[in-house]
Amino acid sequence: MSQLKIYNSLTRQKEVFQSITPGRAGMYVCGPTVSGESHLGHARPYITFDVLYRYLTHLGYKVRYVRNITDAGHFEEEGREAEDKISKKAVLEKLEPMELVQKYTNLYHWAMDQFNTIPPSIEPTATGHIVEQIGMIEQIIEAGYGYVVNGSVYFDVKKYAAKYEYGKLSGRVIEDLLETTRELEGQEEKRDRADFALWKNAAPEHIMRWKSPWGIGFPGWHIECSAMATKYLGAEFDIHGGGMDLQFPHHESEIAQSTICNHTAPVRYWMHNNMITINGRKMGKSYNNVIKLTELFSGDHPMLEKAYHPMTVRFFILQTQYRSTLDFGNEALQAAEKGLKRLWEAYEWILKYDVGSTMYDAKDSELDAKVNKLVTELDEFMNDDLNTAKVLANLFELVPVINGMKDKHIAADALSSTTLALLQTQMQLYMNDILGLKNITNEESSKLKDVMQLLIDLRKEAKAKKDFVTSDKIRNQLAELGIQLKDEKDGGMSYSL
RNA sequence: GGUCCUGUGGCCGAGUGGCUAGGCAGAGCUCUGCAAAAGCUCGUACAGCGGUUCGAAUCCGCUCGGGACCUCCA
């Protein structure tokens, strides 16, 4: 089998994944800032890296998956208003800061659950790691790369760049960064424009504040990830993921901080997912074009023609390779919805299919070879930088084969028993374990099942008597309730909710 | 302005120089009491203009368009 290759933003090429510790993988993913509701764009990294987590686990790695919660708020470091988003909103909504943070954290967890993402091994909060962050800042100052001004601490980028490569990850040139013509307020304290805050002095009205060796304040933008990644994954770990928009300055600065403290570059493989766009433009607060997850699931948004099930969204995201942009659209979402339904029904059927215990060879060797190819290629596609788009394409190509068996125009023994067994295990592995897909419809109760069986029996009886008025009435009224009755080729009936 | 990415059929999207990606929509057919579902068949797309090559959506150049980052941002 081929080896897993992932695209490393640091080297700008696909590399074979080799973990630092054999059999184990450490993975850090930038989590949400819980100062507001998550939107569709946020869903992408969490779903992407959920699939990576699942895949690494499938490959046999013991994975420690760390994904932080930024609950200390990110600060307008360059000034403008120099205030904490969380504290500002807290006033508006008349809530305690931590109450607000809790509310959005709960909502985020709920959404992640809807998406069927596996919770990370550790989900550290920024506020829970103030001590570690202060410790790290002290180390940076001791090493001579941090300086204190008026109760704030800044990282000396120019000095760092003289010895290390600041800008390597994001492709920046340090000279350009130092010469930026951009005019921003609140820069007076910094020696250089490129410097960034490690610790900020808190204004009196600032609600989230902690004691530090430099006075009352709060941590800078980037230090939390450095501190928590170091604490839980070590000085050097395997994978760091996040959105492309975090590459600079967030991840670049993270590298600088960790490098000074730990004397080594922190991350082997940097992975960045691309953005979800809407009308070709990145979905983001500043563009005023976000669709919140709650809105997406309820359909309550002017741009939405209808509500979309979380699984539809997950599937929609997985139909694209994670490094490509994905353009949102009702038509595209509805295509995903229908596609998933068709795929899922074929999947459920083949899972239940009884291959039997007697071994037999394929009657249709050509078809048998095709199925084998489609099924074994799945691993290759995943190994090629998680090309879930290709994985799904192959799964779709299996659908007519499965439905052909169901309709009996493909003979039961067209495929060998081994191929069938492989088909079943691979379908289950990919649909369930790796892609993390679930049934889009609600779990049905056993009572509903019985009622449906009753209706099916009634319809069958009516049909037998050629009483089509009754049979159509049953079918049509169920359809109005969103329950679809389907006559099978063999005279049976099935339904889908 | 700097750095970088990108432009594929109605929509979303794979695409490693030569071999039909796939999904959805649309058209026709089969099955069906009628439907639905399912199956089969179909569009022969690669922004434009040059170039390299036996051969380019895929490499190079130019033009035009879109976007990201440089500021919080998934």
Side-chain angles (χ1 to χ4, degrees):
Chain A
M1 191 173 127
S2 60
Q3 291 175 291
L4 170 62
K5 283 191 293 267
I6 56 185
Y7 182 88
N8 190 348
S9 304
L10 200 60
T11 57
R12 274 156 252 273
Q13 58 188 11
K14 288 181 193 170
E15 296 174 355
V16 172
F17 176 72
Q18 280 183 305
S19 66
I20 296 167
T21 309
R24 292 184 183 269
M27 174 167 134
Y28 188 95
V29 174
C30 285
T33 301
V34 285
S35 60
E37 263 193 75
S38 298
H39 63 249
L40 174 58
H42 296 124
R44 173 106 100 145
Y46 308 132
I47 290 171
T48 298
F49 293 108
D50 179 59
V51 170
L52 176 62
Y53 177 45
R54 289 163 175 272
Y55 192 60
L56 287 171
T57 304
H58 158 67
L59 290 179
Y61 289 98
K62 281 217 178 291
V63 187
R64 179 174 291 170
Y65 175 20
V66 181
R67 189 180 63 203
N68 64 297
I69 295 271
T70 300
D71 58 351
H74 262 195
F75 316 104
E76 306 280 0
E77 196 266 347
E78 297 295 344
R80 278 185 278 193
E81 291 157 65
E83 66 193 341
D84 181 348
K85 278 185 199 168
I86 289 174
S87 65
K88 184 186 179 189
K89 211 160 194 187
V91 173
L92 291 175
E93 300 193 10
K94 296 209 182 347
L95 286 169
E96 274 299 313
M98 290 317 288
E99 190 179 357
L100 191 67
V101 154
Q102 189 68 57
K103 173 182 158 189
Y104 289 124
T105 300
N106 291 345
L107 209 48
Y108 164 75
H109 282 150
W110 169 79
M112 290 305 107
D113 189 50
Q114 295 293 299
F115 283 134
N116 197 29
T117 61
I118 299 173
S121 330
I122 302 176
E123 193 172 52
T125 59
T127 54
H129 296 76
I130 298 293
V131 172
E132 287 81 355
Q133 295 179 71
I134 289 174
M136 209 160 185
I137 295 167
E138 285 178 320
Q139 270 186 279
I140 293 171
I141 295 173
E142 274 168 37
Y145 288 90
Y147 57 92
V148 185
V149 183
N150 301 331
S152 293
V153 186
Y154 295 97
F155 188 93
D156 191 336
V157 170
K158 198 198 255 179
K159 181 168 181 183
Y160 175 83
K163 193 170 171 191
Y164 307 94
E165 294 178 278
Y166 189 81
K168 190 186 179 193
L169 176 68
S170 54
R172 303 287 129 149
V173 181
I174 184 67
E175 285 75 23
D176 294 346
L177 290 172
L178 295 172
E179 285 166 18
T180 307
T181 53
R182 199 179 179 81
E183 286 299 330
L184 293 165
E185 300 164 40
Q187 295 218 95
E188 319 79 53
E189 291 184 348
K190 300 201 286 191
R191 288 182 192 163
D192 259 304
R193 313 190 103 100
D195 292 353
F196 57 87
L198 295 168
W199 186 265
K200 285 285 274 183
N201 179 248
E205 67 273 17
H206 204 103
I207 300 173
M208 285 207 163
R209 42 177 42 220
W210 291 268
K211 265 189 199 167
S212 81
W214 318 286
I216 305 288
F218 53 89
W221 329 342
H222 318 300
I223 197 71
E224 67 173 88
C225 288
S226 286
M228 298 190 288
T230 302
K231 177 165 183 176
Y232 298 114
L233 295 171
E236 195 186 11
F237 57 97
D238 298 300
I239 296 168
H240 188 127
M244 264 183 184
D245 49 357
L246 295 181
Q247 217 167 330
F248 189 88
H250 185 58
H251 292 157
E252 197 71 61
S253 303
E254 217 179 300
I255 292 175
Q257 295 164 341
S258 295
T259 301
I260 293 303
C261 292
N262 302 327
H263 316 291
T264 174
V267 178
R268 284 274 188 92
Y269 305 89
W270 280 94
M271 294 177 74
H272 293 97
N273 63 276
N274 214 134
M275 303 292 102
I276 287 182
T277 59
I278 186 160
N279 296 321
R281 168 161 275 120
K282 173 186 172 185
M283 187 177 284
K285 260 185 195 165
S286 36
Y287 296 114
N288 241 307
N289 61 356
V290 303
I291 298 175
K292 293 174 188 164
L293 293 177
T294 48
E295 295 169 336
L296 196 61
F297 300 161
S298 69
D300 186 18
H301 187 282
M303 295 197 78
L304 297 175
E305 285 171 10
K306 55 169 292 197
Y308 296 102
H309 192 281
M311 270 308 117
T312 299
V313 178
R314 183 175 178 113
F315 180 79
F316 173 66
I317 286 172
L318 294 178
Q319 267 190 306
T320 310
Q321 210 271 345
Y322 74 92
R323 284 190 296 119
S324 301
T325 53
L326 206 206
D327 203 44
F328 164 86
N330 281 288
E331 213 179 331
L333 258 303
Q334 279 160 39
E337 184 177 84
K338 289 188 183 173
L340 174 57
K341 184 163 186 269
R342 180 162 151 258
L343 180 60
W344 190 266
E345 284 176 4
Y347 165 62
E348 281 196 317
W349 188 86
I350 194 68
L351 271 199
K352 285 184 202 146
Y353 184 79
D354 184 13
V355 183
S357 51
T358 37
M359 302 294 282
Y360 55 90
D361 294 329
K363 285 269 162 49
D364 186 341
S365 56
E366 198 179 322
L367 185 68
D368 191 80
K370 183 185 165 187
V371 169
N372 267 296
K373 179 166 180 279
L374 288 170
V375 145
T376 48
E377 274 177 344
L378 298 174
D379 300 328
E380 288 171 38
F381 295 156
M382 279 306 283
N383 282 338
D384 185 17
D385 197 29
L386 309 184
N387 199 331
T388 52
K390 279 188 151 187
V391 166
L392 284 169
N394 269 29
L395 293 178
F396 268 111
E397 290 206 62
L398 291 165
V399 169
V401 178
I402 293 169
N403 286 336
M405 290 174 62
K406 185 178 170 186
D407 289 350
K408 303 222 172 27
H409 76 260
I410 290 177
D413 56 358
L415 303 177
S416 72
S417 48
T418 27
T419 301
L420 271 173
L422 181 67
L423 176 61
Q424 287 182 320
T425 54
Q426 285 284 95
M427 283 292 279
Q428 164 121 41
L429 172 67
Y430 273 86
M431 295 288 285
N432 195 264
D433 301 349
I434 294 174
L435 298 180
L437 296 170
K438 282 206 310 198
N439 199 158
I440 198 162
T441 56
N442 303 318
E443 288 301 312
E444 48 196 307
S445 71
S446 62
K447 272 187 186 168
L448 176 64
K449 239 176 193 161
D450 294 344
V451 172
M452 283 305 300
Q453 195 51 53
L454 175 67
L455 288 168
I456 284 174
D457 290 344
L458 285 173
R459 189 170 128 83
K460 275 185 182 166
E461 282 167 27
K463 277 182 70 173
K465 286 186 283 188
K466 302 231 189 263
D467 176 7
F468 297 124
V469 176
T470 305
S471 67
D472 285 356
K473 185 178 178 184
I474 292 171
R475 187 178 65 196
N476 295 341
Q477 297 211 347
L478 281 173
E480 277 175 37
L481 296 172
I483 299 171
Q484 199 173 41
L485 265 192
K486 290 177 270 193
D487 292 351
E488 303 290 338
K489 288 267 155 65
D490 56 6
M493 261 177 233
S494 66
Y495 63 95
S496 64
L497 303 178

